[in-house]
Amino acid sequence: MGFIKDYFYLKKNRRRSQEAINQLQWKAIQKMLEYAKANSPYYQNQYQNIDIVTLEDFQKLPTINKQIMMEHFTDLNTCGLNKEDVMNYAVQKELNKDYLGYYQDKYVVGLSSGTSGNKGLYITPKSMTKRLPGVFLARGGIELKELPLRILFCLRVFSQGFDDINAPLLKLKYISTMTPVLDVIQKMNQDNINLWMAPPSFIRQVLPFKDQIRIKLKKIITYAEVLSAADKAQFEAAFNTKVVEIYQASEGQMASPCKLGHLHINEDMVYIELYDQNNRLITTPNVVGHKMIVTNLINFAQPLIRYEMNDMIVLDSPCPCGSHFRKIKQIIGRSDDNLWFYDQNHEPRIVYSDLFSRWIITESDQIREFQVTQKAISKLEITLDLIGDFDPKQLERRLLKELNELGLSVEIHFSINPLSLPTHFNKYKRFVSLIKNP
C-alpha cells in the first residue's frame, strides 16, 4: 500500500504556497542536473563548462527537442541503454500488438510518433510505473470517496505503464478504440464499469448508442486530445456524469484536474517554461504560449532537461480551488484530424490519426516525414519525405493489410516530395482532412 504515501504527498504539494512551490521546483531541478551530469555522457558534455547557480542560469541552458533526444539517445539516458536495441524492441512490440512487459525486466518503453520528425523513444523505470496507483489517485481526476473504481481504458494501444495502475480498489481493463462501439458498450455493461477513460473523439462515436449503456458512470476522464468546452457540456449531459481532462504527453504528465475540474500544471512533476511570440517568458494569464519548454523532474532514467515541445497553451487566472499550481485556460492545437473509411456495408468508420501514424512510422526509418490529405471517404493522398531509398508500394501493402483487417476499404495515391515544418510554433499538421464528419 505504498502508493497511499505517494497519494498524500502529491495532494499536499497542491496546497503549498507559491514560495514553497518555487523552492520545491528549484531543489528538484538541481537534483536532476546533478544526476544527469554524473550519469549521462550527453549532459556531461553539454554542461561541463557551465555554472548553473540560479534559476535564471538554468533558463539560459540550451534546449533539446525530439530530434536531438533521438540523435543522442544512447548517450542521453542514464541506464546504458542502446538506441538501436531499444528501438528494435519497441517496433517489434508494436508490430506484434504486444504492449505489455518490461524491457530487460526494468523499463517501460514508449514509442511515440509525435507531430514532427520520426519515431521517439521514451523509457520509464519499473520503479516509477509501480508507483502509478498513487499518482493516478492524486492526479488522475478522481477522489478517494469514488473508490472502488472499475475502469475501462480506451486508447489505440496499451502499455505496461497503464497496466501498472491496477491496485487494491483500482481495477483497470483495456479495450482498443478500434473495437466496434457496440462491443465496447457490451464490455462496459458486463464488467459493471464505473469510470470510463477515453479520447473525446472516441466518446463522440459512442454518443449515438448511449441509451444502450446500462451502468452508472461516476466520472468520465478524457486524454490524448483536447477536450473542448462544447464536448464537455455535451458529454456531461448525455452520460449524466462529470467529465474531466488529463493533459498527458510522452514527455510527462503535464497537467491534472483539481476538485473543481480545472486543469493545473503538475508543478512538482514537470517544470514548464512558456514563452510568447517575442520569446519573452510568460508570467501572466491570457497570453498565448508560442514556445513550451519542459523539464521532467521525476524521470532520472531519461533526463529531459529543457525539452522544447510544439504544444501551445494559455494560462488562466488563479483557480478558486486555492491551489497555487498554475491553471491552464486552453490547450491549443493538440489533436490531428481523424480519417474516415467505408466498411463492407458502405458505412463510414473512423480510424484515429495517431493509430495511422504508428502504421507509417514503424514501416521504415527512411520516412523522415509524411502528410496525409483526405478529400473523400476511403481516399487518401500521402506525401512522403524520404531520407533514403524506399518503395511506397511497401507502405501501401502495410496500410491495406491493416485496414483490410478492420474491414475497411481505401484508395491511396502516393507522392515523394520534401515537407517543411512551419516556421512558427504551431504544430505541423500530418493529417489534413477536407471532409466533415459523416
Side-chain angles (χ1 to χ4, degrees):
M1 301 290 285
F3 66 87
I4 297 297
K5 181 179 179 181
D6 292 329
Y7 167 82
F8 284 110
Y9 172 75
L10 292 170
K11 279 291 186 181
K12 177 184 176 181
N13 285 346
R14 269 197 162 170
R15 300 191 295 269
R16 291 178 183 266
S17 67
Q18 187 61 62
E19 181 181 359
I21 292 170
N22 294 342
Q23 292 175 350
L24 183 151
Q25 287 185 322
W26 178 232
K27 184 177 179 180
I29 288 170
Q30 289 177 305
K31 185 177 180 181
M32 180 61 72
L33 286 171
E34 182 179 351
Y35 190 88
K37 287 192 290 185
N39 297 279
S40 165
Y42 173 78
Y43 287 114
Q44 288 173 2
N45 181 64
Q46 285 288 103
Y47 302 155
Q48 61 180 342
N49 296 317
I50 301 178
D51 292 325
I52 309 167
V53 180
T54 66
L55 186 62
E56 289 71 24
D57 294 335
F58 176 75
Q59 292 171 346
K60 294 176 183 177
L61 291 176
T63 60
I64 65 171
N65 54 29
K66 183 178 178 181
Q67 180 180 351
I68 293 172
M69 185 267 288
M70 287 304 295
E71 287 178 356
H72 299 277
F73 179 91
T74 300
D75 290 333
L76 185 144
N77 80 81
T78 62
C79 310
L81 300 181
N82 179 271
K83 173 186 172 181
E84 184 177 347
D85 294 340
V86 179
M87 179 64 76
N88 288 339
Y89 169 86
V91 170
Q92 285 305 310
K93 283 280 188 180
E94 179 71 33
L95 294 175
N96 295 331
K97 297 180 173 61
D98 171 21
Y99 304 115
L100 297 181
Y102 303 94
Y103 180 66
Q104 296 183 350
D105 197 35
K106 294 180 181 179
Y107 311 100
V108 171
V109 176
L111 180 65
S112 170
S113 59
T115 55
S116 63
N118 214 312
K119 296 183 284 290
L121 286 172
Y122 298 89
I123 56 174
T124 308
K126 182 194 286 190
S127 58
M128 276 187 63
T129 66
K130 288 298 184 182
R131 299 175 69 175
L132 282 175
V135 176
F136 183 72
L137 279 173
R139 301 290 168 81
I142 63 175
E143 300 178 40
L144 285 181
K145 65 182 180 181
E146 294 171 323
L147 298 174
L149 290 174
R150 297 175 298 278
I151 306 164
L152 184 64
F153 181 86
C154 301
L155 197 61
R156 78 273 180 201
V157 294
F158 200 46
S159 83
Q160 184 64 50
F162 293 121
D163 192 63
D164 284 343
I165 290 174
N166 281 290
L169 305 180
L170 280 176
K171 299 301 177 186
L172 183 146
K173 297 188 177 182
Y174 164 74
I175 194 167
S176 169
T177 49
M178 299 314 300
T179 306
V181 167
L182 294 181
D183 291 349
V184 174
I185 293 176
Q186 182 181 20
K187 186 167 183 63
M188 294 173 73
N189 292 332
Q190 286 179 345
D191 295 341
N192 196 24
I193 296 300
N194 58 16
L195 177 67
W196 184 23
M197 301 181 67
S201 56
F202 185 69
I203 296 175
R204 287 194 290 270
Q205 298 302 302
V206 178
L207 272 175
F209 308 95
K210 62 182 177 61
D211 292 338
Q212 298 190 39
I213 299 177
R214 299 191 302 271
I215 44 87
K216 170 60 179 173
L217 293 169
K218 293 183 178 181
K219 189 173 288 183
I220 295 174
I221 299 175
T222 74
Y223 50 87
E225 300 168 1
V226 174
L227 176 66
S228 69
D231 277 340
K232 181 176 181 177
Q234 183 182 29
F235 296 163
E236 289 186 335
F239 298 101
N240 191 29
T241 193
K242 189 174 182 179
V243 178
V244 297
E245 177 183 18
I246 293 175
Y247 179 12
Q248 176 79 36
S250 300
E251 294 80 7
Q253 188 167 334
M254 303 300 169
S256 302
C258 66
K259 61 185 178 181
L260 300 180
H262 301 144
L263 270 180
H264 290 256
I265 294 174
N266 289 318
E267 308 281 12
D268 52 353
M269 302 170 75
V270 290
Y271 177 69
I272 294 180
E273 305 166 51
L274 296 173
Y275 295 86
D276 65 17
Q277 58 186 346
N278 296 314
N279 207 38
R280 295 175 299 199
L281 185 67
I282 295 173
T283 58
T284 57
N286 303 312
V287 179
V288 176
H290 283 255
K291 183 164 64 174
M292 177 173 166
I293 298 176
V294 176
T295 298
N296 188 309
L297 299 176
I298 59 176
N299 189 346
F300 290 83
Q302 185 180 13
L304 298 180
I305 300 174
R306 305 206 75 227
Y307 182 102
E308 188 169 340
M309 298 180 64
N310 291 325
D311 295 32
M312 298 173 65
I313 67 174
V314 181
L315 297 177
D316 205 350
S317 302
C319 185
C321 78
S323 174
H324 288 91
F325 281 16
R326 285 173 291 176
K327 179 185 173 189
I328 295 178
K329 183 176 185 178
Q330 184 183 5
I331 304 170
I332 303 174
R334 285 181 59 204
S335 300
D336 288 315
D337 294 321
N338 296 312
L339 304 175
W340 292 89
F341 303 88
Y342 287 120
D343 63 17
Q344 295 169 345
N345 298 317
H346 206 66
E347 294 292 330
R349 280 189 59 192
I350 195 170
V351 171
Y352 298 99
S353 52
D354 51 1
L355 178 62
F356 208 89
S357 290
R358 285 177 173 265
W359 293 340
I360 294 178
I361 66 170
T362 56
E363 190 59 33
S364 173
D365 285 329
Q366 302 305 312
I367 302 173
R368 188 194 72 84
E369 189 51 87
F370 67 89
Q371 188 169 65
V372 180
T373 302
Q374 182 164 45
K375 297 180 180 178
I377 298 175
S378 280
K379 294 185 178 180
L380 302 178
E381 297 177 5
I382 301 179
T383 301
L384 299 178
D385 184 346
L386 303 178
I387 59 176
D389 292 331
F390 178 73
D391 185 358
K393 288 291 184 183
Q394 178 182 332
L395 178 58
E396 183 177 28
R397 288 191 293 269
R398 169 78 186 280
L399 298 179
L400 289 173
K401 173 181 175 293
E402 298 284 358
L403 291 168
N404 287 340
E405 287 181 358
L406 297 171
L408 305 177
S409 62
V410 65
E411 296 177 20
I412 307 176
H413 173 74
F414 287 93
S415 60
I416 309 296
N417 283 302
L419 291 167
S420 299
L421 296 177
T423 56
H424 46 79
F425 287 103
N426 286 334
K427 281 192 172 184
Y428 172 78
K429 289 189 70 65
R430 277 181 160 171
F431 294 86
V432 179
S433 177
L434 303 181
I435 63 172
K436 295 182 179 179
N437 289 357

